[in-house]
Amino acid sequence: MGKSRRTPIRLHPEFLCKNGKKELVVLSYDEFLAVEERLQDADDLMTLRQAAASDDGGAGVSLPEMKRRLAARSAPERKHRGW
């Protein structure tokens, strides 16, 4: 699995001060979205690493088996909704 390299986020923050101290930061909406996406990616990576660390080595479930289980679980739901 190859590593993807992202370019650094270029931020142009505006600082709002109160009593001479920086109190708030204002970012453009696009910059905010870029930061939010990176934070979500970091959170996902942390969750993945925690899951891998807690793996007990037990048997996994194959993709076809998981699809079958999910289809069986959602089938009554589809019937209920008229699908």
Side-chain angles (χ1 to χ4, degrees):
M1 184 164 43
K3 293 182 180 180
S4 67
R5 297 267 184 205
R6 288 190 181 190
T7 58
I9 301 172
R10 302 223 187 262
L11 300 177
H12 304 90
E14 294 290 329
F15 300 97
L16 303 179
C17 299
K18 183 177 183 180
N19 299 324
K21 291 183 136 182
K22 293 178 182 174
E23 185 81 14
L24 300 169
V25 178
V26 178
L27 296 173
S28 73
Y29 186 67
D30 288 339
E31 290 173 346
F32 167 78
L33 290 176
V35 170
E36 183 180 44
E37 181 180 352
R38 296 285 176 98
L39 288 172
Q40 288 173 350
D41 289 350
D43 187 53
D44 290 346
L45 180 58
M46 186 174 61
T47 301
L48 178 63
R49 286 181 177 165
Q50 288 171 346
S54 67
D55 182 15
D56 63 0
V61 177
S62 69
L63 181 59
E65 173 63 15
M66 182 54 69
K67 286 181 178 180
R68 186 193 66 72
R69 289 182 186 184
L70 290 172
R73 188 170 81 181
S74 64
E77 201 174 290
R78 281 196 297 264
K79 288 179 184 175
H80 178 71
R81 292 182 182 168
W83 294 350

XYZ file of all heavy atoms in Angstrom:
656
model
N 0.861 -1.162 0.000
C 0.000 0.000 0.000
C 0.906 1.223 0.000
O 1.752 1.407 0.867
C -0.893 -0.039 1.242
C -1.879 1.074 1.270
S -3.260 0.879 2.441
C -2.543 0.251 3.913
N 0.773 2.096 -0.987
C 1.616 3.277 -1.103
C 1.150 4.411 -0.214
O -0.006 4.517 0.139
N 2.121 5.209 0.150
C 1.797 6.377 0.970
C 1.447 7.540 0.059
O 2.110 7.782 -0.935
C 2.996 6.776 1.831
C 3.338 5.774 2.890
C 4.493 6.291 3.714
C 4.863 5.294 4.780
N 5.981 5.762 5.589
N 0.400 8.246 0.412
C 0.067 9.431 -0.364
C 0.654 10.635 0.349
O 0.583 10.755 1.568
C -1.454 9.575 -0.523
O -2.042 9.855 0.720
N 1.239 11.504 -0.394
C 1.837 12.718 0.165
C 0.901 13.873 -0.111
O 0.465 14.082 -1.233
C 3.195 13.005 -0.476
C 4.212 11.941 -0.209
C 4.994 12.325 0.994
N 6.044 11.348 1.200
C 6.568 11.134 2.378
N 6.170 11.803 3.408
N 7.498 10.241 2.523
N 0.585 14.597 0.916
C -0.245 15.787 0.767
C 0.642 17.005 0.862
O 1.611 17.019 1.598
C -1.287 15.864 1.873
C -2.389 14.863 1.745
C -3.442 15.225 2.730
N -4.532 14.271 2.660
C -5.667 14.454 3.285
N -5.867 15.504 4.031
N -6.615 13.575 3.192
N 0.231 18.001 0.151
C 0.950 19.262 0.289
C 0.524 19.929 1.588
O -0.597 19.745 2.050
C 0.643 20.203 -0.900
O -0.764 20.418 -0.942
C 1.109 19.604 -2.210
N 1.421 20.676 2.192
C 1.051 21.368 3.433
C -0.102 22.335 3.198
O -0.249 22.904 2.111
C 2.311 22.141 3.809
C 3.421 21.513 3.030
C 2.787 20.930 1.802
N -0.907 22.503 4.216
C -2.006 23.465 4.140
C -1.415 24.858 4.319
O -0.689 25.099 5.266
C -3.057 23.203 5.233
C -3.644 21.806 5.110
C -4.159 24.245 5.176
C -4.551 21.443 6.282
N -1.751 25.733 3.436
C -1.301 27.120 3.567
C -2.442 27.907 4.203
O -3.504 28.077 3.604
C -0.943 27.696 2.211
C 0.142 26.902 1.502
C 1.157 27.826 0.874
N 2.081 27.060 0.059
C 3.280 26.674 0.488
N 3.675 26.967 1.697
N 4.081 26.004 -0.309
N -2.202 28.333 5.418
C -3.216 29.072 6.156
C -2.899 30.559 6.172
O -1.736 30.950 6.182
C -3.309 28.562 7.595
C -3.673 27.092 7.771
C -3.661 26.718 9.248
C -5.017 26.799 7.162
N -3.929 31.341 6.179
C -3.816 32.792 6.256
C -4.735 33.278 7.382
O -5.771 33.896 7.127
C -4.198 33.436 4.915
C -3.374 32.907 3.782
N -3.752 31.794 3.047
C -2.187 33.312 3.291
C -2.827 31.557 2.137
N -1.860 32.455 2.258
N -4.338 32.962 8.630
C -5.214 33.294 9.745
C -5.242 34.787 10.049
O -4.271 35.504 9.815
C -4.596 32.522 10.915
C -3.147 32.445 10.569
C -3.104 32.325 9.058
N -6.376 35.217 10.534
C -6.528 36.575 11.060
C -6.756 36.403 12.561
O -7.612 35.622 12.971
C -7.723 37.285 10.420
C -7.563 37.561 8.940
C -6.528 38.639 8.647
O -6.354 39.554 9.485
O -5.890 38.558 7.591
N -5.989 37.115 13.366
C -6.104 36.996 14.809
C -6.891 38.170 15.371
O -6.644 39.320 15.017
C -4.712 36.949 15.450
C -3.887 35.782 14.979
C -2.957 35.934 13.963
C -4.050 34.524 15.540
C -2.201 34.864 13.518
C -3.303 33.449 15.104
C -2.374 33.617 14.087
N -7.811 37.857 16.239
C -8.576 38.879 16.931
C -8.074 38.910 18.371
O -7.981 37.875 19.030
C -10.070 38.567 16.896
C -10.679 38.406 15.490
C -12.152 38.066 15.606
C -10.477 39.651 14.671
N -7.723 40.106 18.821
C -7.125 40.262 20.142
C -8.089 40.900 21.134
O -8.970 41.671 20.756
C -5.858 41.113 20.041
S -4.606 40.376 18.982
N -7.871 40.542 22.389
C -8.626 41.134 23.487
C -7.612 41.445 24.583
O -6.869 40.561 25.005
C -9.678 40.143 23.984
C -10.568 40.680 25.073
C -11.622 39.645 25.428
C -12.568 40.173 26.468
N -13.597 39.173 26.803
N -7.568 42.693 24.977
C -6.598 43.139 25.974
C -5.161 42.820 25.556
O -4.335 42.421 26.362
C -6.887 42.529 27.346
C -8.241 42.921 27.884
O -8.698 44.050 27.672
N -8.900 42.007 28.559
N -4.889 42.957 24.256
C -3.544 42.741 23.731
C -3.145 41.287 23.562
O -2.021 41.002 23.171
N -4.033 40.349 23.865
C -3.729 38.920 23.722
C -4.588 38.326 22.609
O -5.762 38.661 22.485
C -4.022 38.174 25.031
C -3.090 38.505 26.149
C -3.444 37.646 27.352
C -2.172 37.115 27.945
N -2.425 36.231 29.076
N -3.998 37.416 21.844
C -4.751 36.736 20.794
C -5.866 35.919 21.434
O -5.629 35.092 22.301
C -3.837 35.846 19.969
C -2.833 36.634 19.148
C -1.904 35.719 18.385
C -0.888 36.544 17.628
N 0.123 35.707 16.985
N -7.079 36.187 21.008
C -8.253 35.551 21.602
C -8.930 34.582 20.638
O -9.362 33.511 21.009
C -9.240 36.638 22.021
C -10.446 36.170 22.757
C -10.191 35.934 24.247
O -9.162 36.363 24.766
O -11.049 35.304 24.867
N -9.034 34.965 19.351
C -9.734 34.163 18.346
C -8.929 34.144 17.057
O -8.154 35.055 16.779
C -11.112 34.758 18.054
C -12.082 34.851 19.230
C -13.285 35.703 18.839
C -12.527 33.479 19.657
N -9.188 33.108 16.255
C -8.557 32.987 14.942
C -9.658 32.860 13.903
O -10.603 32.092 14.074
C -7.640 31.757 14.865
C -7.027 31.617 13.475
C -6.566 31.814 15.926
N -9.520 33.586 12.815
C -10.475 33.524 11.709
C -9.740 32.956 10.493
O -8.657 33.410 10.146
C -11.048 34.927 11.381
C -12.007 34.845 10.202
C -11.723 35.529 12.603
N -10.353 31.930 9.905
C -9.821 31.324 8.681
C -10.851 31.470 7.578
O -12.048 31.553 7.848
C -9.551 29.828 8.885
C -8.505 29.410 9.899
C -8.517 27.895 10.065
C -7.134 29.887 9.475
N -10.382 31.419 6.340
C -11.339 31.365 5.241
C -12.072 30.029 5.331
O -11.585 29.074 5.947
C -10.623 31.472 3.889
O -9.941 30.263 3.595
N -13.223 29.954 4.708
C -14.002 28.723 4.760
C -13.230 27.566 4.124
O -13.211 26.452 4.655
C -15.359 28.926 4.076
C -16.264 27.737 4.211
C -16.770 27.360 5.453
C -16.611 26.970 3.103
C -17.596 26.257 5.593
C -17.439 25.868 3.241
C -17.927 25.517 4.483
O -18.742 24.417 4.622
N -12.565 27.808 3.005
C -11.786 26.751 2.340
C -10.653 26.258 3.242
O -10.386 25.055 3.310
C -11.223 27.237 1.009
C -12.287 27.392 -0.058
O -13.363 26.765 0.082
O -12.053 28.133 -1.027
N -9.992 27.164 3.935
C -8.924 26.769 4.853
C -9.493 25.962 6.016
O -8.920 24.952 6.427
C -8.174 27.991 5.369
C -7.330 28.658 4.297
C -6.717 29.967 4.740
O -7.130 30.535 5.777
O -5.812 30.435 4.035
N -10.626 26.385 6.532
C -11.280 25.650 7.607
C -11.599 24.230 7.161
O -11.342 23.266 7.888
C -12.558 26.360 8.057
C -13.425 25.510 8.937
C -13.108 25.322 10.270
C -14.540 24.872 8.410
C -13.900 24.504 11.082
C -15.332 24.057 9.219
C -15.010 23.876 10.552
N -12.161 24.072 5.960
C -12.500 22.736 5.452
C -11.260 21.863 5.316
O -11.295 20.671 5.620
C -13.235 22.841 4.112
C -14.648 23.411 4.163
C -15.219 23.535 2.751
C -15.561 22.584 5.047
N -10.160 22.452 4.853
C -8.914 21.696 4.702
C -8.408 21.222 6.062
O -7.990 20.064 6.217
C -7.859 22.542 3.995
N -8.457 22.086 7.062
C -8.021 21.715 8.410
C -8.948 20.645 8.978
O -8.492 19.652 9.562
C -7.974 22.961 9.330
C -7.771 22.552 10.782
C -6.880 23.910 8.886
N -10.251 20.825 8.804
C -11.219 19.858 9.308
C -10.993 18.482 8.688
O -11.015 17.460 9.383
C -12.641 20.342 9.021
C -13.707 19.421 9.585
C -15.109 19.931 9.279
O -15.384 20.361 8.141
O -15.925 19.886 10.200
N -10.732 18.431 7.390
C -10.495 17.160 6.706
C -9.251 16.472 7.264
O -9.247 15.265 7.514
C -10.341 17.374 5.203
C -10.126 16.096 4.439
C -9.976 16.298 2.940
O -10.179 17.421 2.449
O -9.638 15.320 2.271
N -8.181 17.242 7.478
C -6.958 16.665 8.031
C -7.185 16.137 9.449
O -6.669 15.084 9.818
C -5.834 17.692 8.055
C -5.386 18.192 6.696
C -4.549 17.148 5.951
N -4.214 17.612 4.637
C -3.057 18.167 4.302
N -2.116 18.323 5.193
N -2.834 18.559 3.063
N -7.957 16.858 10.241
C -8.242 16.389 11.597
C -9.057 15.102 11.576
O -8.823 14.190 12.372
C -8.971 17.472 12.392
C -8.121 18.676 12.792
C -9.006 19.762 13.394
C -7.021 18.279 13.755
N -10.018 15.010 10.670
C -10.810 13.783 10.546
C -9.937 12.620 10.097
O -10.074 11.501 10.601
C -11.971 13.994 9.573
C -13.055 14.880 10.125
C -14.121 15.224 9.094
O -13.981 14.954 7.908
N -15.194 15.842 9.561
N -9.027 12.876 9.160
C -8.107 11.833 8.706
C -7.220 11.358 9.858
O -6.989 10.155 10.026
C -7.230 12.330 7.559
C -7.997 12.503 6.259
O -9.160 12.059 6.173
O -7.433 13.121 5.325
N -6.727 12.302 10.664
C -5.880 11.949 11.804
C -6.677 11.123 12.819
O -6.158 10.149 13.377
C -5.319 13.210 12.454
N -7.931 11.489 13.037
C -8.779 10.740 13.962
C -9.032 9.331 13.437
O -8.975 8.353 14.197
C -10.098 11.480 14.177
C -10.948 10.847 15.259
O -10.425 10.657 16.386
O -12.119 10.546 14.995
N -9.292 9.208 12.131
C -9.497 7.888 11.521
C -8.242 7.028 11.665
O -8.334 5.834 11.970
C -9.862 8.018 10.041
C -11.235 8.601 9.816
O -12.031 8.674 10.777
O -11.508 9.015 8.670
N -7.071 7.627 11.454
C -5.820 6.889 11.570
C -5.604 6.423 13.005
O -5.197 5.287 13.245
C -4.649 7.762 11.105
C -3.268 7.122 11.156
C -3.223 5.853 10.308
C -2.215 8.114 10.697
N -5.897 7.278 13.966
C -5.760 6.904 15.366
C -6.695 5.745 15.710
O -6.289 4.781 16.365
C -6.056 8.103 16.264
C -5.802 7.829 17.735
S -5.974 9.278 18.787
C -7.680 9.701 18.515
N -7.935 5.801 15.218
C -8.894 4.723 15.460
C -8.410 3.421 14.837
O -8.492 2.349 15.456
C -10.279 5.104 14.902
O -10.713 6.310 15.541
C -11.298 4.009 15.123
N -7.885 3.498 13.620
C -7.370 2.314 12.935
C -6.197 1.708 13.701
O -6.129 0.491 13.892
C -6.944 2.679 11.512
C -6.340 1.571 10.663
C -7.367 0.464 10.439
C -5.865 2.130 9.337
N -5.292 2.554 14.170
C -4.133 2.055 14.927
C -4.575 1.411 16.244
O -4.022 0.394 16.651
C -3.150 3.188 15.182
C -2.390 3.570 13.925
C -1.407 4.679 14.166
N -0.646 4.951 12.949
C 0.072 6.019 12.773
N 0.163 6.952 13.720
N 0.739 6.196 11.643
N -5.571 2.000 16.905
C -6.075 1.414 18.147
C -6.708 0.059 17.874
O -6.527 -0.894 18.636
C -7.080 2.352 18.815
C -6.449 3.577 19.424
C -7.481 4.595 19.889
O -8.659 4.520 19.539
N -7.034 5.562 20.674
N -7.452 -0.045 16.782
C -8.092 -1.314 16.428
C -7.043 -2.376 16.113
O -7.166 -3.529 16.537
C -9.040 -1.123 15.250
N -6.009 -1.980 15.377
C -4.951 -2.936 15.031
C -4.211 -3.386 16.287
O -3.858 -4.563 16.424
C -3.979 -2.299 14.033
N -3.991 -2.474 17.223
C -3.279 -2.817 18.452
C -4.104 -3.743 19.338
O -3.560 -4.569 20.070
C -2.906 -1.548 19.221
N -5.417 -3.634 19.273
C -6.276 -4.469 20.126
C -6.709 -5.752 19.426
O -7.457 -6.536 20.005
C -7.509 -3.681 20.574
O -8.346 -3.399 19.475
N -6.240 -5.976 18.205
C -6.607 -7.193 17.471
C -6.112 -8.407 18.235
O -4.934 -8.514 18.557
C -5.996 -7.153 16.065
C -6.363 -8.360 15.222
O -7.292 -9.095 15.594
O -5.705 -8.565 14.184
N -7.010 -9.320 18.535
C -6.642 -10.499 19.312
C -6.160 -11.654 18.439
O -5.923 -12.745 18.932
C -7.812 -10.950 20.188
C -9.025 -11.385 19.379
O -8.971 -11.347 18.137
O -10.033 -11.758 20.004
N -6.043 -11.427 17.154
C -5.563 -12.479 16.264
C -6.620 -13.500 15.904
O -6.317 -14.510 15.289
N -7.851 -13.232 16.288
C -8.940 -14.157 15.990
C -9.244 -14.187 14.499
O -8.747 -13.385 13.714
N -10.076 -15.126 14.133
C -10.435 -15.276 12.724
C -11.253 -14.078 12.262
O -12.131 -13.596 12.973
C -11.233 -16.555 12.528
N -10.957 -13.602 11.119
C -11.701 -12.504 10.532
C -12.880 -13.037 9.723
O -13.170 -14.233 9.710
N -13.526 -12.134 9.033
C -14.649 -12.497 8.181
C -14.300 -12.065 6.764
O -13.853 -10.940 6.542
C -15.945 -11.787 8.660
C -17.103 -12.097 7.736
C -16.271 -12.168 10.082
N -14.509 -12.954 5.815
C -14.204 -12.630 4.420
C -15.187 -11.574 3.909
O -16.293 -11.411 4.449
C -14.287 -13.878 3.547
O -15.635 -14.294 3.438
N -14.796 -10.875 2.867
C -15.659 -9.868 2.279
C -16.979 -10.462 1.781
O -18.038 -9.922 2.083
C -14.936 -9.116 1.158
C -15.714 -8.015 0.466
C -16.156 -6.949 1.470
C -14.891 -7.390 -0.635
N -16.957 -11.579 1.052
C -18.244 -12.161 0.622
C -19.151 -12.526 1.801
O -20.358 -12.308 1.762
C -17.833 -13.409 -0.162
C -16.451 -13.113 -0.633
C -15.829 -12.295 0.452
N -18.547 -13.055 2.881
C -19.348 -13.405 4.050
C -19.926 -12.154 4.704
O -21.094 -12.136 5.115
C -18.501 -14.190 5.065
C -19.196 -14.459 6.389
C -20.451 -15.322 6.294
O -20.689 -15.974 5.253
O -21.211 -15.347 7.276
N -19.147 -11.100 4.799
C -19.643 -9.869 5.404
C -20.765 -9.274 4.555
O -21.764 -8.794 5.093
C -18.508 -8.852 5.570
C -18.945 -7.567 6.246
S -19.764 -7.780 7.849
C -18.423 -8.343 8.855
N -20.625 -9.309 3.248
C -21.697 -8.819 2.366
C -22.978 -9.613 2.583
O -24.062 -9.057 2.631
C -21.260 -8.897 0.900
C -20.262 -7.838 0.516
C -19.888 -7.967 -0.956
C -18.933 -6.889 -1.381
N -18.564 -6.993 -2.794
N -22.833 -10.950 2.719
C -23.992 -11.801 2.951
C -24.659 -11.434 4.275
O -25.881 -11.284 4.349
C -23.577 -13.282 2.960
C -24.764 -14.236 3.052
C -24.340 -15.670 3.379
N -23.768 -15.803 4.717
C -24.460 -15.742 5.866
N -25.757 -15.549 5.847
N -23.859 -15.892 7.036
N -23.861 -11.240 5.313
C -24.412 -10.889 6.627
C -25.126 -9.533 6.589
O -26.207 -9.385 7.159
C -23.307 -10.846 7.676
C -22.747 -12.194 8.039
C -21.691 -12.044 9.111
N -21.014 -13.299 9.388
C -20.099 -13.434 10.347
N -19.757 -12.409 11.111
N -19.515 -14.596 10.538
N -24.503 -8.574 5.944
C -25.118 -7.249 5.860
C -26.411 -7.283 5.051
O -27.380 -6.628 5.403
C -24.139 -6.234 5.273
C -22.956 -5.868 6.174
C -21.955 -5.012 5.412
C -23.430 -5.164 7.429
N -26.403 -8.049 3.958
C -27.609 -8.162 3.136
C -28.732 -8.821 3.936
O -29.887 -8.382 3.876
C -27.313 -8.961 1.869
N -28.401 -9.850 4.698
C -29.419 -10.537 5.499
C -29.952 -9.621 6.592
O -31.146 -9.630 6.889
C -28.822 -11.803 6.112
N -29.081 -8.814 7.168
C -29.504 -7.918 8.240
C -30.377 -6.783 7.729
O -31.320 -6.369 8.382
C -28.272 -7.345 8.937
C -28.607 -6.568 10.183
C -27.384 -6.238 10.957
N -26.753 -5.073 10.353
C -25.633 -4.528 10.771
N -24.985 -5.069 11.775
N -25.141 -3.471 10.189
N -30.096 -6.295 6.533
C -30.856 -5.161 6.015
C -32.066 -5.583 5.188
O -32.895 -4.755 4.856
C -29.953 -4.244 5.191
O -29.472 -4.924 4.054
N -32.214 -6.863 4.868
C -33.344 -7.324 4.059
C -34.688 -7.015 4.716
O -35.575 -6.467 4.066
C -33.219 -8.812 3.752
N -34.894 -7.304 6.001
C -36.184 -6.963 6.621
C -36.429 -5.454 6.616
O -37.549 -5.007 6.464
C -36.040 -7.482 8.055
C -34.965 -8.500 8.002
C -34.045 -8.069 6.883
N -35.364 -4.692 6.744
C -35.485 -3.238 6.723
C -36.006 -2.767 5.361
O -36.874 -1.912 5.272
C -34.104 -2.632 6.995
C -34.131 -1.224 7.501
C -32.746 -0.770 7.880
O -32.187 -1.257 8.876
O -32.208 0.079 7.147
N -35.490 -3.355 4.284
C -35.932 -2.974 2.940
C -37.395 -3.339 2.736
O -38.159 -2.590 2.159
C -35.055 -3.642 1.885
C -33.738 -2.952 1.680
C -33.105 -3.416 0.384
N -32.790 -4.837 0.405
C -31.606 -5.340 0.708
N -30.623 -4.560 1.048
N -31.406 -6.638 0.683
N -37.796 -4.535 3.203
C -39.196 -4.943 3.076
C -40.102 -4.004 3.836
O -41.154 -3.618 3.368
C -39.379 -6.373 3.578
C -38.800 -7.421 2.675
C -39.010 -8.808 3.260
C -38.333 -9.851 2.405
N -38.421 -11.190 3.003
N -39.666 -3.608 5.027
C -40.460 -2.699 5.854
C -40.657 -1.346 5.170
O -41.701 -0.755 5.264
C -39.780 -2.536 7.213
C -40.505 -1.576 8.121
N -41.714 -1.882 8.694
C -40.182 -0.324 8.522
C -42.108 -0.860 9.428
N -41.199 0.101 9.350
N -39.653 -0.901 4.468
C -39.732 0.390 3.791
C -40.382 0.271 2.425
O -40.485 1.245 1.709
C -38.340 0.993 3.635
C -37.720 1.389 4.945
C -36.387 2.002 4.708
N -35.750 2.342 5.983
C -34.505 2.680 6.107
N -33.718 2.721 5.052
N -33.997 2.976 7.274
N -40.734 -0.940 2.023
C -41.387 -1.120 0.732
C -40.414 -1.229 -0.433
O -40.772 -1.007 -1.569
N -39.151 -1.619 -0.139
C -38.154 -1.735 -1.215
C -38.240 -3.056 -1.887
O -38.423 -4.080 -1.533
C -36.741 -1.514 -0.700
C -36.530 -0.106 -0.234
C -37.348 0.947 -0.399
C -35.428 0.380 0.509
N -36.822 2.061 0.169
C -35.636 1.752 0.737
C -34.256 -0.190 1.007
C -34.749 2.537 1.414
C -33.391 0.609 1.681
C -33.626 1.953 1.884
